[in-house]
Amino acid sequence: MGGNTTGSAFRVTTWGESHGPALGAVIDGCPAGLELAEEDIQQALDRRRPSTGVASTTRAEEDTVEILSGVFEGRTTGTPVSLMIRNQDARFASYEALKDVFRPGQGDYTYFRKYGLRDWRGGGRASGRETAARVAAGAVAGKLIATAGMKVLAYTKNIGGIEIGNMCVSPSEEWIKKVRENSLHCPDEKAAAVMERKLAAVREEGDTLGGVVEIIVSGCPAGLGEPVFEKMDAALACALMGIGTVKAVETGDGIDVAFKKGSEVNDQMNEKGFMKNSAGGILAGITTGEDIILRAWCKPIPSIACGQQTVDIQGRNRSIQIQGRHDVCVIPRIVPVCEAMVSLVLADHWLRQKAVRL
Amino acid sequence: MGGNTTGSAFRVTTWGESHGPALGAVIDGCPAGLELAEEDIQQALDRRRPSTGVASTTRAEEDTVEILSGVFEGRTTGTPVSLMIRNQDARFASYEALKDVFRPGQGDYTYFRKYGLRDWRGGGRASGRETAARVAAGAVAGKLIATAGMKVLAYTKNIGGIEIGNMCVSPSEEWIKKVRENSLHCPDEKAAAVMERKLAAVREEGDTLGGVVEIIVSGCPAGLGEPVFEKMDAALACALMGIGTVKAVETGDGIDVAFKKGSEVNDQMNEKGFMKNSAGGILAGITTGEDIILRAWCKPIPSIACGQQTVDIQGRNRSIQIQGRHDVCVIPRIVPVCEAMVSLVLADHWLRQKAVRL
Amino acid sequence: MGGNTTGSAFRVTTWGESHGPALGAVIDGCPAGLELAEEDIQQALDRRRPSTGVASTTRAEEDTVEILSGVFEGRTTGTPVSLMIRNQDARFASYEALKDVFRPGQGDYTYFRKYGLRDWRGGGRASGRETAARVAAGAVAGKLIATAGMKVLAYTKNIGGIEIGNMCVSPSEEWIKKVRENSLHCPDEKAAAVMERKLAAVREEGDTLGGVVEIIVSGCPAGLGEPVFEKMDAALACALMGIGTVKAVETGDGIDVAFKKGSEVNDQMNEKGFMKNSAGGILAGITTGEDIILRAWCKPIPSIACGQQTVDIQGRNRSIQIQGRHDVCVIPRIVPVCEAMVSLVLADHWLRQKAVRL
Amino acid sequence: MGGNTTGSAFRVTTWGESHGPALGAVIDGCPAGLELAEEDIQQALDRRRPSTGVASTTRAEEDTVEILSGVFEGRTTGTPVSLMIRNQDARFASYEALKDVFRPGQGDYTYFRKYGLRDWRGGGRASGRETAARVAAGAVAGKLIATAGMKVLAYTKNIGGIEIGNMCVSPSEEWIKKVRENSLHCPDEKAAAVMERKLAAVREEGDTLGGVVEIIVSGCPAGLGEPVFEKMDAALACALMGIGTVKAVETGDGIDVAFKKGSEVNDQMNEKGFMKNSAGGILAGITTGEDIILRAWCKPIPSIACGQQTVDIQGRNRSIQIQGRHDVCVIPRIVPVCEAMVSLVLADHWLRQKAVRL
């Protein structure tokens, strides 16, 4: 009930606060026999870390993962895999000044209303830092589904209105390389350079930018997903909308199909398979075997340096100006989180599928 | 695991196929003492039924609900509430011709790939008819959350590109009345008339249209939702994307915020509360107490009368033309389904919240 | 949360009250492709019905099951299987006199304290009649695990202190036939005759008797069960103790092992397998491949004709004498319920095991 | 699905192996505002540790717990409480000799059959050491239910056939003190002395003993438990049978009631309440408000020093003699585990009850 667990066959529970001793995840249901080492997870965590680019904060977290259980002699044993990341740079003095105040656009007010108290150090559990645990668990999921040929790629589609063109279907190795090498996780170098300039300008203003992440899953077998409440697109929408910054989620041609006719939208088939993929790899909530295509629309980071009006826990007016280390754009750090969340859903549904036929 | 259950405190399991003996839902976790009669549910089912308008099929289902358990002397007893709707007009001769063929845009192909066999009568469980059970269960959820002052209103925002303007915040009684009385569930009569004309024209072509449903929840208390994987917006996105026709989901200002700056998006506060509601009533996955605002983008119905190319279960090319009774636009029937799904999520999270504080 | 669902891969939700319109079960997660007809389920229900023997009531329920969904052309489709049994003989006038009174040994008092109100017609959901739905669902589970060679047999071990000797390991066809043919489900005819006489005498006194049911599972593969909280023996104990009348549960040599030494209890192995089966087929919560052996100790039925002292809902002293149709011993009707519950657990864990190894 | 999580409102997931880096538990759903410090948990862990008595091993684990999340300024925040215990004395050389051999009475064989590989260091996850994580989580549950007046006491009822008499109803402070002070957790000093002598003699033989733990819950409110599959007694039986060593579970008068008449067993009531408590505080699966009474029958520890016959992973005959540090009787260490498991169930059902009435 507590809402910190996801999945039914590949179950992941995360825990931890921004400025507590550590963050972590427990994976229950990872099949026995999967090769797994801390390096596999560390790579994903490193991609989530603040880069040296203009988009990022200066918080210097190493984010070193430790596998505490469930792996023996280099393979998973079938018992829970416990992952832990110690918080190393947990200075919270800068938050003390705002401990009685609700920062606009953050979870401060809603956590207080939910629980009657809150951990005000860096947003506590509502901090984006919590996603490190998801990325760690997602890396294990990613390794698992890779054994079935699935590959999940997320990349920056748009920052502050600067949008890159469509990729060809099923990302090529070259395209993936470009995503991995660019500090904004954007495969179009020229667009990325424009984004960087815009980010630098907005940072000067003490303001922040949003954007769009696109996620492509290639190699997903047909037949994954459930008929009614846990349709594959529903599960994926839940996964992506469950990232703090995401305000809208699309599958396939998404928004555009609302304005088209059935004859334009239906993906007809012939002996070679689907003739196009407007559906984005999912029909009636179940995968078609085509690429799964998703887009997550992200709001700008709410921690801005500009002055803002708010109230404190007594409900009195307060004017604040947020200090401290903050990113100017969340997109580069959200890209690996999107990959992780999508991988978790696929791992779960892939395992569930094993019991569907006699 | 089977994906036909939703919720953890207010748990709903649905069952039934388009052309089987019946459809139904079992609600486990409805608190004892709620006044409940079949009429309460029947009203919602009647709103979901094909109207006499141009958008609808001619399938003449009465959709009479029967309460089989969990209610005694007019009140819920705390034990499972079982609801059943008999299928009365279950002619499936028109489907027999296509029983070996995968209709484009439907679940035919994916169900076959998932289960290795499929109930081809009217789409089986993948039929939109399955949503009758959701609407029945949603009506119970709606009665439950109404005891806490919550009200869920869905209405037609856009059909085939014809879009109505924004409503004022928190729907007035007049606005609600207009929605309830219009056969397209559209509160703007003039726009509705234009939609009707467009629908009539598209029907002539044997084609179909999509659209947008907007959902407003008023009276929702602050504090509902869970911190990480079951954030309120994630749960609502899952609920809406779990409707077969929905391809994108937005909360609050949704897509637009991706192109704005933090200073524009943040909802600042003063002593009177939030100064605006760009967030759509949810921050960090937890309700703020403001109206919850959602939009569901729906694809056109795939059952078109135009000729289409597809394959059969042996993978051979086939040209088909779909016969039978089909709507030209799903939106009017999806409106009550959206209300139902949102009500289910709110009922669940409202009950869960009772155990959150010491 | 509501406690009316069991299983995680093979999920069963039951609903219904003793004197409501119907009882039923929804099975979500039954694999596609299982041959299933109403007759398969009817057989199990018929074994649960009151026999003409001395142990039973005279309530004349036909208990005819209807499959409402999830089966097409004689096979399961993978979607939920909904089962319904109409209550046909639902006279409750005899209960009206006691509607404000808590009958000793029944759920009257506790349901009232839990829910603040109760369905007093025949015990409502607390009635033993609820087990009809479990037996129906258990019959489907039984068919499923039979495809893997598993067979579940329960029989009467003891009624009112009259106990039959140990069966040979893995019940023979002859033994099973004897169980099926005897009206007390007791394979030892002579003992059964003595039980019958004792039951007749106790019925004269207006009193009731308890007893012991033994359950043997043959053909269960090694490796089923989970490491910590859902060990196979824990799941089975939960299943059996969840039958209203059961007050103690044993696995293998059970109680006796508490008084033995490790050297006597350990089941040593050699090349042919386990040298004995003191463990009852389960080690560390996981099946060994040997027969699973369980015993359920049942209390006498609380509905006795003798005068009893109790209180009403205002807490005032009341003397009562229970009228109506009541069994003198629950054991014969509990035997098929035990089979059902054990089958449900095995079906669930057998499906879960499919996702355990890479 | 993985079976390492228990509870639905108060959810606990444990992880860790006997000789891995650490063990731990994540609690999701603990209400916000509970005072909690590491000392609260440490006390329970200390009671579980090997004492200096004759029953225990010499493994010198400090078992120091660390709270990694979910507590801020001395109170729970409502977010997951993560607990970790580092394994400090994880020498496993003595196990290396047996790494290809299945020790009789252990999980070696069944884990291998389940997962296809196993962590052979000290039994891996099948080790009794895993219960340290349960005790840690149970201590939090115990603190939570204490706020509602509930108190859980377990004690040694029987070791190797030496049994103590019945306690008076609802344990007195003096009785509790005696349990807490005795190294065998046995409140009868004289019996405890006899037990110690028997244990010493059996240790000489290289053998082990089983016994019986009794658990009393006082102060439990009426109304906890669920109607069908999660009856309170079913949940408690599951919890206790889920302890590796337990082979039978009784509630109330348990086994004895199978041989009594209804008129003897029914707990009649008068204006002062129940006139006796044969039911052990539970009727129809729901608590009555009387003391809950449970007994767990435990097998002797399988790690005996005597020679034993077994097979290796190739199925070849092997004669073994187990070396290393092993207890002669599990009872003293199981007593706090029983308390923990019962506390977890009560905490879960107490929270669930908050949403049961309108």
Side-chain angles (χ1 to χ4, degrees), chain D residues 133-212:
Chain D
R134 306 196 202 188
V135 168
V140 180
K143 268 216 100 174
L144 178 60
I145 59 176
T147 67
M150 284 182 262
K151 204 154 56 182
V152 180
L153 179 73
Y155 56 87
T156 298
K157 174 85 177 168
N158 184 313
I159 286 183
I162 301 154
E163 183 150 329
I164 66 168
N166 283 331
M167 48 158 291
C168 354
V169 180
S170 281
S172 62
E173 284 308 309
E174 193 197 337
W175 177 282
I176 296 171
K177 192 158 168 272
K178 281 182 179 169
V179 171
R180 295 286 185 245
E181 285 176 358
N182 182 269
S183 72
L184 295 178
H185 301 310
C186 175
D188 179 331
E189 277 173 59
K190 280 186 193 162
V194 182
M195 291 171 184
E196 294 267 5
R197 279 197 296 278
K198 181 147 190 184
L199 288 168
V202 167
R203 159 163 288 178
E204 285 303 301
E205 302 167 22
D207 218 331
T208 56
L209 287 177
V212 183

Side-chain angles (χ1 to χ4, degrees), chain A residues 1-3 113-114 205 207 225-226 229 251 255 261 263 266 268 271 279 308-309 317 352-353 357, chain B residues 1-3 113-114 207 225-226 229 247 255 261 263 266 268 271 302 308-309 317 352-353 357:
Chain A
M1 286 241 303
R113 291 297 300 270
K114 181 172 194 68
E205 302 167 22
D207 218 332
E226 299 290 344
F229 294 118
T251 56
I255 287 162
K261 295 182 184 170
S263 58
N266 283 356
Q268 299 183 41
E271 289 171 345
Q308 294 183 97
Q309 193 167 342
N317 284 336
R352 287 160 77 162
Q353 181 62 12
R357 295 196 196 186
Chain B
M1 286 241 305
R113 292 296 301 270
K114 181 172 194 67
D207 218 330
E226 299 290 343
F229 294 118
K247 297 298 287 179
I255 287 161
K261 295 182 185 171
S263 58
N266 283 355
Q268 299 183 40
E271 288 170 346
Q308 294 184 98
Q309 194 167 342
N317 283 336
R352 287 160 78 163
Q353 181 62 13
R357 295 199 197 183

Side-chain angles (χ1 to χ4, degrees), chain A residues 117-352:
Chain A
L117 52 84
R118 72 182 180 94
D119 178 349
W120 45 260
R121 298 166 305 170
R125 183 126 182 91
S127 164
R129 182 145 178 71
E130 162 269 321
T131 58
R134 306 196 201 188
V135 168
V140 180
K143 268 215 101 173
L144 178 61
I145 59 177
T147 67
M150 284 181 262
K151 204 154 54 182
V152 179
L153 179 72
Y155 55 87
T156 299
K157 174 84 177 165
N158 184 312
I159 286 183
I162 301 153
E163 183 150 327
I164 66 170
N166 282 333
M167 48 160 289
C168 357
V169 180
S170 281
S172 62
E173 284 307 311
E174 193 198 337
W175 177 281
I176 296 170
K177 194 159 166 270
K178 282 183 180 168
V179 172
R180 297 285 185 245
E181 285 176 357
N182 182 269
S183 73
L184 295 178
H185 302 311
C186 176
D188 179 332
E189 277 173 61
K190 280 188 195 161
V194 183
M195 291 171 186
E196 294 268 6
R197 279 196 296 277
K198 179 145 191 184
L199 287 168
V202 168
R203 161 163 287 177
E204 284 304 300
E205 302 167 22
D207 218 332
T208 56
L209 288 177
V212 182
V213 177
E214 190 161 79
I215 306 106
I216 313 284
V217 182
S218 55
C220 180
L224 306 193
E226 299 290 344
V228 174
F229 294 118
E230 299 182 54
K231 286 176 147 76
M232 179 57 82
D233 34 4
L236 290 168
C238 184
L240 292 175
M241 198 73 99
I243 302 170
T245 189
V246 176
K247 297 298 287 180
V249 177
E250 271 187 299
T251 56
D253 287 349
I255 287 162
D256 288 351
V257 298
F259 311 122
K260 291 188 176 163
K261 295 182 184 170
S263 58
E264 298 169 288
V265 171
N266 283 356
D267 298 326
Q268 299 183 41
M269 300 180 80
N270 64 21
E271 289 171 345
K272 293 179 188 159
F274 286 94
M275 294 161 69
K276 61 185 177 59
N277 185 18
S278 166
I282 302 167
L283 273 175
I286 299 172
T287 55
T288 62
E290 300 295 296
D291 282 2
I292 299 174
I293 301 165
L294 301 157
R295 272 173 301 282
W297 304 72
C298 304
K299 69 174 186 179
I301 288 171
S303 290
I304 55 176
C306 324
Q308 294 183 97
Q309 193 167 342
T310 188
V311 295
D312 61 21
I313 59 177
Q314 275 83 32
R316 290 172 305 208
N317 284 336
R318 295 281 293 266
S319 292
I320 62 163
Q321 203 146 0
I322 294 169
Q323 314 292 331
R325 305 156 297 177
H326 300 287
D327 290 354
V328 64
C329 180
V330 78
I331 299 295
R333 302 186 72 163
I334 287 301
V335 162
V337 180
C338 290
E339 286 188 5
M341 292 304 293
V342 169
S343 297
L344 292 178
V345 170
L346 292 170
D348 186 45
H349 280 264
W350 179 65
L351 288 179
R352 287 160 77 162

Side-chain angles (χ1 to χ4, degrees), chain B residues 164-244:
Chain B
I164 66 169
N166 284 332
M167 48 161 289
C168 357
V169 180
S170 280
S172 62
E173 283 308 310
E174 194 198 336
W175 178 281
I176 296 171
K177 194 158 166 271
K178 282 183 179 169
V179 172
R180 296 286 184 244
E181 285 176 357
N182 181 269
S183 72
L184 295 178
H185 302 311
C186 176
D188 179 332
E189 278 173 59
K190 280 188 195 162
V194 183
M195 290 171 186
E196 293 268 6
R197 279 197 296 278
K198 179 145 192 186
L199 288 168
V202 168
R203 161 163 288 177
E204 284 305 300
E205 302 167 22
D207 218 330
T208 55
L209 287 177
V212 183
V213 178
E214 190 162 79
I215 306 106
I216 312 283
V217 182
S218 55
C220 180
L224 305 193
E226 299 290 343
V228 174
F229 294 118
E230 298 182 54
K231 285 176 147 77
M232 178 57 82
D233 34 4
L236 290 167
C238 185
L240 293 174
M241 198 73 101
I243 302 170

Side-chain angles (χ1 to χ4, degrees), chain C residues 1 114 207 225 255 263 352, chain D residues 1 114 207 225 255 263 352:
Chain C
M1 286 242 305
K114 182 173 193 67
D207 218 331
I255 287 161
S263 57
R352 288 160 77 162
Chain D
M1 286 241 305
K114 182 173 194 66
D207 218 331
I255 288 160
S263 59
R352 288 160 76 162

Side-chain angles (χ1 to χ4, degrees), chain C residues 1-3 113-114 207 225-226 229 247 251 255 263 266 268 271 279 302 308-309 317 352-353 357, chain D residues 1-3 113-114 205 207 225-226 229 247 255 261 263 266 268 271 279 302 308-309 317 352-353 357:
Chain C
M1 286 242 305
R113 291 296 301 270
K114 182 173 193 67
D207 218 331
E226 298 290 343
F229 293 117
K247 298 297 287 180
T251 56
I255 287 161
S263 57
N266 282 356
Q268 299 183 41
E271 288 171 347
Q308 295 184 97
Q309 194 167 340
N317 284 336
R352 288 160 77 162
Q353 181 63 13
R357 294 198 198 183
Chain D
M1 286 241 305
R113 291 297 301 269
K114 182 173 194 66
E205 302 167 22
D207 218 331
E226 299 289 343
F229 294 117
K247 297 297 288 179
I255 288 160
K261 295 181 183 170
S263 59
N266 283 355
Q268 299 183 43
E271 290 170 346
Q308 293 185 98
Q309 193 166 341
N317 284 337
R352 288 160 76 162
Q353 181 62 13
R357 295 197 196 184

